[in-house]
Structure formats: structure tokens, C-alpha cells
Amino acid sequence: MGRPEDDRVGGAVRTLMGYVRWIGFVACSLAALGYAAIGNYNMTGLMLALAVLSWLNIRRKRNKSEPPADH
């Protein structure tokens, strides 16, 4: 049994983690473009792979339903 403010804190953490996932996706995508521009294709591939993993994580979390509330 949690206190009522536990739900608010959990919601804030979930929201912040959503932002963190998007920031990671954008950072990896931009890094891939930067590495491609300078011709470092090994790092381009690595950053693209991380961007794809970030996108999959965003999609997985978006499709997941909210946890049931305990009352």
C-alpha cells in the first residue's frame, strides 16, 4: 500500500524517462549524421544502431499500458 503522493512521483518519473528516451534518439541520430559527414562510417553505423534501439524502446514503451492502480 503506497501513499497517494507515490502515484504522482511515479508519473513524474515516467514522464521524465519519456523525455530521456527521445533525447537519446535525437542525440544518436545527430551523431550518426555528424560521423557520416566526416567520413567515419564505423561510428556512423554504431550511432544508427543505437538510434534504432532507442526508437524501438520508444515504441515499446508507448504501446505498453499503464500499470493498474491499487485501491
Side-chain angles (χ1 to χ4, degrees), residues 2-3 7 11 23 25 29 31 33 37 43 47-48 60 68:
R3 297 185 317 239
D7 292 335
I23 290 169
F25 171 70
S29 299
L33 290 174
M43 286 300 289
M47 289 297 127
L48 282 176
R60 182 178 62 93

Side-chain angles (χ1 to χ4, degrees), residues 3-21 61 65-69:
R3 297 185 317 239
E5 60 268 7
D6 289 344
D7 292 335
R8 286 181 290 168
V9 172
V13 170
R14 279 190 291 276
T15 301
L16 287 175
M17 285 306 296
Y19 290 135
V20 167
R21 282 188 283 276
K61 292 292 184 174
S65 63
E66 288 293 318

Side-chain angles (χ1 to χ4, degrees), residues 37-60:
I38 63 173
N40 190 343
Y41 299 115
N42 287 332
M43 286 300 289
T44 300
L46 175 66
M47 289 297 127
L48 282 176
L50 288 174
V52 167
L53 287 174
S54 294
W55 180 249
L56 291 174
N57 193 24
I58 289 168
R59 298 288 301 187
R60 182 178 62 93

